[in-house]
Amino acid sequence: MVRTRFAPSPTGYMHIGNLRTALYAYLIAKSQRGAFILRIEDTDRERYMETAVSVIFSSLESAGLKWDEGPGVGGAYGPYTQSERMGEYVRWAEALVEKGMAYYCFCDKDRLKTSREQNAQSGYDGRCRSIDRNEAAERVKRGEPHVVRQLIPEGVSVFHDAVYGDITIDNAELEDQTLLKSDGMPTYNFANVIDDHLMNITHVVRGAEYLSSTPKYNLLYDAFGWRKPIYIHLPHILDEAGEKLSKRDGSASFQDLLDMGFLPEAVLNYIALLGWSPRENKEFFTLDELVEAFDINGLSKAPAIFDAVKLKWMNGEYIKKMPPEVFYALARPYLENTVTREGVDLKTLAEMMRTRVEFVKDCAEPLDFIDRLPDYSAELYRHKKMKTDEKNSLISLESVVAELEAIDDWSENAVHEALITLAEKLGVKNGRILWPARVALSGKQSTPCGATEILALLGKEESLRRLKIGVDKLRVCP
């Protein structure tokens, strides 16, 4: 059975690159009816942040990526956590020392610094390799500070990656990496190999920055006689300037995107396409549709460009496709905070705005004129396309006031018919009537709805009051 894992280190926030790794691991497993595992790699205690664990949980939950197993009962699985599995790493590290595939290293920080300065290509020079195993064991028993290092053999390492193809690396470029640190904690590189084997992980999905470390992992698999997983290394996600997205970039964090107003399903859909091309010419996918469509062969080794404008557009398209009742539930708090006028139907406003905004939170601000007519300049009445200015707008508004005062039916259809009929009577185009009316009613150059919709929203009394304010404003114009 296909088994994948997402193994984040809780050292900060959820970068969108991390989320993409989790998504692809999830899709690879689910597209083949396999299992998706969550493992918290918290062995780097200096960088460990307890709050980051909850960020990982909430991010995966928001994205809909549910893991399949772990400690817990009744289906309420927690993740696997490396700090709770320390005995495994010590046992296997000692086994490697016994096999002669690893050794105890007693070099202090100053000695290591000097070694790496003198061996820029491979780093540590392997000085402690030559220490007799029995002598090393005695020094360990005496409590001498030490680490356990992997012994990298001479030769070359060749491996296959599902994205990058066959990779060859000279072992001389590889440092004898630390497996167990002086505090007894395993390094990331060692712990993830042990856990991937013990958890029967078949496909390892991770960033391309780990390509150069993969031969070290494979040498460990060979040392233990274990089967190697299939590797899928993902290219970097770059910003529009071609630089790697970093924490300094506000769009690099999944939570930041959600806080900005992006829908989690839109972000997930967009991230899925950063490095993967579906066979069919299609851009919009639900998570279930991604599971059905996903194929490793669609992954690209070219870096993906994060386009904030494209994501914003996609978010708007998701809002347009959203059922009206769902959008209203999301928009209601914003609308209630902005529009308090009695008699205004917020559901009508929500549906009016659903196809006009790219973020739900932006649905209310364009409607602030409903509660209060802002102060505005008579220059707003000038419109080249509508051929309006202060002079003819005054004539239009005076006629509109007279026409609307005479009608009793204040429905949108009735006021629309009255104004269109008025334009015909005056022998002018509709815009010469509707533009001045909309300016007088809203005090804005642009609104999400036309003059007749605003008239229906405001009611007869408030509409006529605002229209007369417009008349008075234009009468004092030179």
Side-chain angles (χ1 to χ4, degrees):
M1 182 175 77
V2 170
R3 291 172 61 85
T4 65
R5 48 71 165 175
F6 177 50
S9 298
T11 56
Y13 67 163
M14 177 72 82
H15 189 283
I16 61 168
N18 299 134
L19 182 62
R20 185 186 64 169
T21 298
L23 173 61
Y24 286 175
Y26 177 91
L27 295 177
I28 289 169
K30 296 304 176 182
S31 65
Q32 301 182 61
R33 293 178 173 79
F36 172 65
I37 312 301
L38 175 62
R39 187 173 73 224
I40 304 298
E41 302 202 334
D42 60 344
T43 57
D44 188 345
R45 304 310 291 180
E46 290 183 1
R47 298 176 61 211
Y48 173 79
M49 294 174 59
E50 187 173 352
T51 55
V53 177
S54 61
V55 170
I56 293 168
F57 293 165
S58 63
S59 296
L60 293 179
E61 182 180 356
S62 295
L65 305 181
K66 184 178 180 182
W67 60 93
D68 293 303
E69 65 180 60
V73 294
Y77 296 122
Y80 292 106
T81 304
Q82 285 187 332
S83 61
E84 298 173 359
R85 299 166 55 80
M86 295 301 301
E88 294 288 352
Y89 313 127
V90 173
R91 177 166 70 92
W92 290 108
E94 290 176 347
L96 280 180
V97 173
E98 288 297 316
K99 286 173 172 281
M101 303 292 185
Y103 59 94
Y104 298 115
C105 173
F106 303 92
C107 296
D108 59 24
K109 290 183 179 180
D110 291 338
R111 168 71 181 75
L112 291 174
K113 181 180 179 182
T114 300
S115 174
R116 286 175 179 141
E117 288 173 350
Q118 295 174 351
N119 299 273
Q121 183 179 29
S122 60
Y124 178 60
D125 59 8
R127 177 178 181 177
C128 292
R129 283 185 176 193
S130 59
I131 298 175
D132 178 78
R133 192 184 303 175
N134 292 328
E135 178 189 342
E138 285 299 318
R139 293 172 69 174
V140 169
K141 285 182 181 179
R142 291 198 299 266
E144 187 171 343
H146 67 280
V147 300
V148 175
R149 286 188 181 276
Q150 179 183 7
L151 194 156
I152 302 294
E154 295 181 352
V156 296
S157 292
V158 181
F159 69 95
H160 181 79
D161 180 76
V163 176
Y164 289 87
D166 291 331
I167 307 289
T168 300
I169 293 180
D170 189 336
N171 288 357
E173 299 177 14
L174 305 176
E175 181 178 18
D176 284 1
Q177 68 174 343
T178 300
L179 304 181
L180 286 185
K181 293 178 281 189
S182 58
D183 61 0
M185 296 292 283
T187 59
Y188 166 84
N189 288 332
F190 183 55
N192 85 68
V193 168
I194 301 302
D195 284 338
D196 284 347
H197 171 72
L198 296 180
M199 295 177 187
N200 298 310
I201 301 302
T202 61
H203 295 65
V204 170
V205 186
R206 60 187 175 216
E209 62 269 25
Y210 293 105
L211 267 172
S212 61
S213 300
T214 301
K216 296 180 183 180
Y217 305 146
N218 283 343
L219 288 170
L220 289 173
Y221 282 107
D222 289 340
F224 288 122
W226 293 342
R227 183 195 60 168
K228 301 180 187 74
I230 295 171
Y231 293 111
I232 303 104
H233 286 89
L234 306 176
H236 295 307
I237 299 176
L238 307 179
D239 62 22
E240 293 177 82
E243 301 293 331
K244 187 177 177 182
L245 284 179
S246 68
K247 292 182 180 181
R248 293 185 300 274
D249 190 323
S251 59
S253 161
F254 178 55
Q255 188 57 52
D256 283 348
L257 289 174
L258 299 187
D259 292 342
M260 289 165 63
F262 287 100
L263 301 170
E265 56 268 37
V267 176
L268 199 73
N269 189 159
Y270 180 70
I271 289 177
L273 302 175
L274 290 179
W276 172 72
S277 298
R279 290 179 181 176
E280 54 184 317
N281 185 22
K282 181 179 177 180
E283 277 192 298
F284 293 92
F285 294 86
T286 64
L287 183 56
D288 287 342
E289 289 170 342
L290 284 171
V291 169
E292 290 299 317
F294 194 80
D295 186 341
I296 292 176
N297 293 325
L299 293 173
S300 170
K301 62 182 177 182
I305 303 299
F306 182 86
D307 185 343
V309 174
K310 177 68 177 290
L311 175 56
K312 189 175 180 181
W313 167 81
M314 181 169 278
N315 201 67
E317 292 300 303
Y318 262 82
I319 289 175
K320 287 177 182 147
K321 300 172 189 294
M322 191 177 285
E325 62 276 11
V326 175
F327 179 76
Y328 175 62
L330 296 174
R332 184 174 176 177
Y334 301 103
L335 293 172
E336 288 180 336
N337 192 50
T338 300
V339 181
T340 60
R341 179 177 293 279
E342 290 186 12
V344 176
D345 186 353
L346 296 183
K347 286 186 177 180
T348 298
L349 295 182
E351 185 57 18
M352 179 191 301
M353 298 303 299
R354 183 170 59 87
T355 58
R356 291 178 164 95
V357 295
E358 292 176 315
F359 297 105
V360 175
K361 65 180 181 180
D362 292 340
C363 68
E365 191 277 332
L367 300 168
D368 60 359
F369 67 88
I370 293 176
D371 270 17
R372 182 183 66 83
L373 178 67
D375 186 26
Y376 64 94
S377 169
E379 293 181 359
L380 287 183
Y381 288 99
R382 299 178 194 171
H383 196 294
K384 288 184 179 180
K385 186 177 179 181
M386 301 297 178
K387 297 182 179 179
T388 62
D389 55 28
E390 292 91 337
K391 184 176 179 181
N392 58 36
S393 290
L394 173 58
I395 296 171
S396 295
L397 281 188
E398 289 175 333
S399 300
V400 167
V401 170
E403 187 74 23
L404 294 181
E405 281 184 326
I407 68 172
D408 295 322
D409 183 356
W410 201 261
S411 65
E412 184 181 341
N413 288 337
V415 294
H416 180 269
E417 184 178 348
L419 295 186
I420 299 304
T421 301
L422 175 61
E424 291 176 359
K425 247 191 254 184
L426 297 177
V428 297
K429 290 186 176 180
N430 295 343
R432 282 277 293 274
I433 297 295
L434 298 176
W435 177 262
R438 186 170 71 160
V439 170
L441 292 165
S442 68
K444 291 190 170 190
Q445 188 172 39
S446 62
T447 58
C449 50
T452 56
E453 291 173 290
I454 298 174
L455 287 166
L457 284 169
L458 296 178
K460 184 173 184 178
E461 181 180 349
E462 177 64 14
S463 295
L464 289 172
R465 185 185 76 83
R466 295 188 182 193
L467 291 169
K468 290 175 182 178
I469 289 174
V471 169
D472 292 340
K473 188 181 289 286
L474 289 169
R475 279 177 178 166
V476 299
C477 287

